């Protein structure tokens, strides 16, 4: 839902609303997925790897090496092609793991991507790889079998390398933060939902949260942003939650606005939620996440 809004501005920086000082709170994963099995998680991972593989397959068939060079990205075409190969290998790896467990792997869905040129393709790739990292981190506490946890970890590290390289190519720090953020499966589905063709088979079964829209796209720390969502709760105190690394920072919402943290707590690919409590557990989320990139070390846009 958020990807289409993210493409135009890889200079995305900070967000939040009204007048009070943001409060920092340790982020701990609160499970609302007691019935989920390791096989469910592997199939969920496969669903996302299908999406990534299709994204790179389509992109690398749409854009030539000359297109990359003309867009100002020389000498990276073969490296992006290697990423494409990796994502397809991840699909094969997860299919084999599910088949070895005697389970029929989920099939591919149908996807739609909003990139229109090399630059927007690389912008989406950066976000997609970052969400992939957060998806594996968020699912890790739910995995019971150490062998499956190790398998997921072996993919996670490669996704992190992909993300670091693409960030560098896009003029951003490849390692903007000391810790990465994990997000829940429902949060992942919320971010990926717009990339699945409506009504297509084999889309994630989990319910997405309502979409969160933030404006402007490129605020600075300390700026106020506007946050909106369809049918927000009335007469309920709300917060903007900025999830970065293993902690979240909260700022109260007043008249649909909140203020971006100024303490440096939001760095790198940061997830913004609208919540009714100072928590980013699923039960507290009203809408989102949306994504903003706070990269204070990046080259100026």
């Amino acid at each position: 839902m958020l990807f289409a809004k993210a493409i135009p501005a890889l200079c995305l920086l900070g967000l939040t609303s009204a007048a009070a000082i943001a409060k920092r709170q340790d982020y701990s994963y609160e499970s609302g997925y007691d019935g989920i099995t390791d096989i469910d998680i592997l199939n969920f991972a496969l669903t996302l790897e299908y999406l990534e593989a299709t994204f790179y397959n389509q992109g690398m068939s749409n854009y030539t090496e000359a297109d990359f060079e003309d867009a100002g990205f020389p000498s990276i075409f073969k490296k992006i092609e290697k990423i494409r190969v990796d994502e397809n290998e991840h699909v094969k790896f997860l299919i084999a793991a599910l088949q070895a467990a005697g389970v029929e792997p989920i099939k591919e869905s149908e996807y739609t991507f909003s990139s229109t040129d090399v630059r927007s393709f690389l912008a989406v790739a950066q976000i997609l790889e970052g969400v992939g990292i957060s998806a594996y981190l968020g699912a890790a506490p739910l995995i019971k079998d150490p062998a499956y946890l190790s398998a997921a970890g072996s993919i996670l590290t490669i996704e992190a390398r992909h993300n670091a390289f693409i960030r560098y190519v896009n003029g951003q720090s490849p390692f903007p933060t000391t810790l990465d953020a994990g997000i829940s499966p429902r949060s992942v589905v919320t971010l990926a939902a717009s990339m699945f063709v409506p009504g297509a088979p084999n889309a994630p079964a989990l319910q997405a949260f309502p979409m969160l829209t933030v404006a402007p796209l490129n605020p600075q720390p300390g700026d106020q942003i506007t946050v909106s969502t369809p049918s927000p709760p009335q007469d309920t105190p709300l917060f903007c939650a900025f999830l970065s690394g293993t902690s979240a920072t909260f700022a109260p919402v007043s008249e649909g606005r909140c203020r971006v943290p100024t303490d440096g707590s939001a760095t790198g690919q940061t997830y913004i939620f609208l919540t009714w409590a100072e928590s980013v557990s699923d039960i507290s989320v009203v809408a989102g996440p949306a994504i903003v990139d706070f990269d204070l070390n990046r080259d100026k846009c």
Side-chain angles (χ1 to χ4, degrees):
M1 299 197 168
L2 148 292
F3 291 92
K5 297 183 179 296
I7 292 169
L10 263 180
C11 288
L12 300 178
L13 277 179
L15 291 60
T16 69
S17 166
I21 296 174
K23 177 182 177 183
R24 189 174 179 86
Q25 173 177 304
D26 288 339
Y27 169 70
S28 59
Y29 192 90
E30 182 176 317
S31 175
Y33 304 90
D34 293 338
I36 201 168
T37 68
D38 287 352
I39 297 302
D40 293 329
I41 295 171
L42 289 184
N43 262 320
F44 183 65
L46 178 58
T47 298
L48 300 178
E49 293 294 345
Y50 278 139
L51 187 153
E52 286 190 277
T54 303
F55 171 75
Y56 284 105
N57 289 342
Q58 290 185 7
M60 297 307 284
S61 65
N62 289 338
Y63 310 121
T64 65
E65 187 166 6
D67 291 331
F68 275 78
E69 293 175 355
D70 291 344
F73 298 97
S75 306
I76 71 161
F77 182 83
K78 292 180 180 178
K79 295 180 179 65
I80 301 298
E81 170 62 18
K82 176 60 168 63
I83 294 176
R84 185 195 71 80
V85 171
D86 287 348
E87 299 299 353
N88 282 274
E89 288 299 317
H90 292 170
V91 168
K92 294 176 184 177
F93 178 76
L94 289 169
I95 288 175
L98 287 161
Q99 290 175 335
V103 175
E104 180 68 24
I106 193 169
K107 304 297 184 184
E108 285 187 80
S109 187
E110 297 175 27
Y111 314 99
T112 178
F113 304 107
S114 52
S115 61
T116 56
D117 55 24
V118 169
R119 189 169 294 274
S120 62
F121 169 74
L122 291 173
V124 176
Q126 176 178 316
I127 296 171
L128 198 56
E129 296 287 356
V131 172
I133 294 167
S134 296
Y136 278 101
L137 283 174
L142 303 175
I143 300 175
K144 302 174 182 64
D145 188 323
Y148 290 145
L149 182 60
S150 178
S154 69
I155 295 177
L156 167 60
T157 57
I158 303 303
E159 301 289 355
R161 293 173 193 172
H162 293 169
N163 180 249
F165 174 73
I166 294 172
R167 289 184 66 88
Y168 180 76
V169 165
N170 284 331
Q172 295 186 290
S173 170
F175 30 76
T177 182
T178 56
L179 298 168
D180 284 318
I183 57 176
S184 74
R186 281 191 68 189
S187 296
V188 174
V189 170
T190 303
L191 291 168
S194 65
M195 291 189 169
F196 288 84
V197 173
N202 303 318
L206 288 171
Q207 181 180 5
F209 292 114
M211 181 179 180
L212 180 66
T213 301
V214 299
L217 290 176
N218 59 342
Q220 301 289 330
D223 286 352
Q224 290 193 0
I225 57 163
T226 299
V227 291
S228 59
T229 187
S231 304
Q234 301 298 315
D235 301 320
T236 300
L238 297 175
F239 299 88
C240 288
F242 299 83
L243 176 61
S244 175
T246 57
S247 64
T249 301
F250 299 86
V253 174
S254 177
E255 297 181 348
R257 306 182 76 193
C258 60
R259 190 173 298 281
V260 180
T262 58
D263 61 357
S265 58
T267 57
Q269 184 160 304
T270 300
Y271 300 96
I272 299 93
F273 296 83
L274 188 65
T275 68
W276 61 265
E278 293 187 356
S279 168
V280 290
S281 61
D282 281 2
I283 196 172
S284 301
V285 172
V286 174
I291 294 176
V292 167
D293 204 296
F294 293 85
D295 189 350
L296 303 182
N297 298 314
R298 68 158 294 156
D299 297 335
K300 288 187 178 180
C301 299

